[in-house]
Amino acid sequence: PKALVRYPTKKEDMSFKVTEAKRVLPYAFAYTERLRQLDMSNVTQKILPKSMVEGSVVEWISLPPKALIIGERSFCGCESLKNITIPKSVRAIFYKSFYGCRNITEFITGDKIRFIGMRAGASTSNLKRLWIGDGCLYTSSDAFEDSGARKQTHPSGRETNTLYPDLKIIRY
């Protein structure tokens, strides 16, 4: 399968849909200057690579629907990122995957999620709605440190009193 090696950082397009590439390599969209919308819904890869969109100005991303793992620092420092839907298929979100994505307001995972790593959603200061699926076995105690979330809100609207109810939190 074809792989998207690198999206040109100076390219003028404000939106891009990955159509021919079935895999996206590390740093493929890192530090893009104008790209605002990224559609990866046609990508069949299940492990999203390290630093894939790190430091870019992307505001909206559609992830591959069959993704299983979001690699470390995949979206780290994407301060403009506002909307991202984490596919229900995702089982693991690694170290600093969404660190510093200050404008994300919702972070909702499906019930297949099993692992959320260190500082995965830390420094997401505008985060208002957080829900970690019921199947999660491990969440780092600092996964959402310095985030705007103070409690979890289920997608149905039901709220809990703490960030991680009935979840054993273990430090690395």
Side-chain angles (χ1 to χ4, degrees):
K2 293 181 182 179
L4 180 64
V5 176
R6 182 79 167 101
Y7 184 85
T9 56
K10 303 268 185 203
K11 193 168 178 167
E12 295 294 315
D13 295 350
M14 294 190 77
S15 65
F16 183 73
K17 182 171 184 165
V18 180
T19 55
E20 293 183 27
K22 297 300 177 192
R23 292 184 324 119
V24 178
L25 299 178
Y27 302 99
F29 298 97
Y31 303 100
T32 54
E33 296 175 3
R34 297 195 33 88
L35 187 63
R36 297 283 189 263
Q37 296 184 344
L38 175 59
D39 184 346
M40 298 190 321
S41 58
N42 288 338
V43 175
T44 56
Q45 121 188 45
K46 296 186 181 198
I47 299 174
L48 301 182
K50 172 183 178 178
S51 303
M52 179 177 61
V53 188
E54 181 177 3
S56 76
V57 294
V58 173
E59 297 174 358
W60 175 88
I61 298 173
S62 174
L63 294 177
K66 294 182 180 180
L68 296 176
I69 295 172
I70 297 177
E72 68 179 57
R73 301 181 64 89
S74 284
F75 306 97
C76 180
C78 292
E79 292 186 10
S80 301
L81 186 60
K82 295 176 185 173
N83 296 309
I84 188 161
T85 300
I86 299 170
K88 292 179 180 178
S89 59
V90 170
R91 293 190 179 143
I93 300 171
F94 285 118
Y95 173 73
K96 288 190 173 181
S97 290
F98 296 95
Y99 177 83
C101 295
R102 300 188 192 297
N103 287 307
I104 289 180
T105 57
E106 286 191 344
F107 193 95
I108 298 171
T109 70
D111 287 335
K112 290 184 178 179
I113 190 78
R114 297 293 181 260
F115 174 87
I116 299 177
M118 285 175 44
R119 303 190 58 74
S123 295
T124 50
S125 52
N126 287 315
L127 186 63
K128 302 292 183 249
R129 194 163 173 217
L130 170 68
W131 183 257
I132 298 170
D134 293 334
C136 194
L137 301 173
Y138 175 87
T139 300
S140 173
S141 61
D142 64 355
F144 293 93
E145 187 174 85
D146 300 325
S147 76
R150 297 292 170 251
K151 56 187 166 186
Q152 285 198 77
T153 305
H154 189 271
S156 69
R158 179 181 53 139
E159 291 186 351
T160 65
N161 293 327
T162 62
L163 278 179
Y164 313 114
D166 305 322
L167 185 65
K168 186 175 182 182
I169 299 173
I170 307 166
R171 280 216 178 262
Y172 283 98

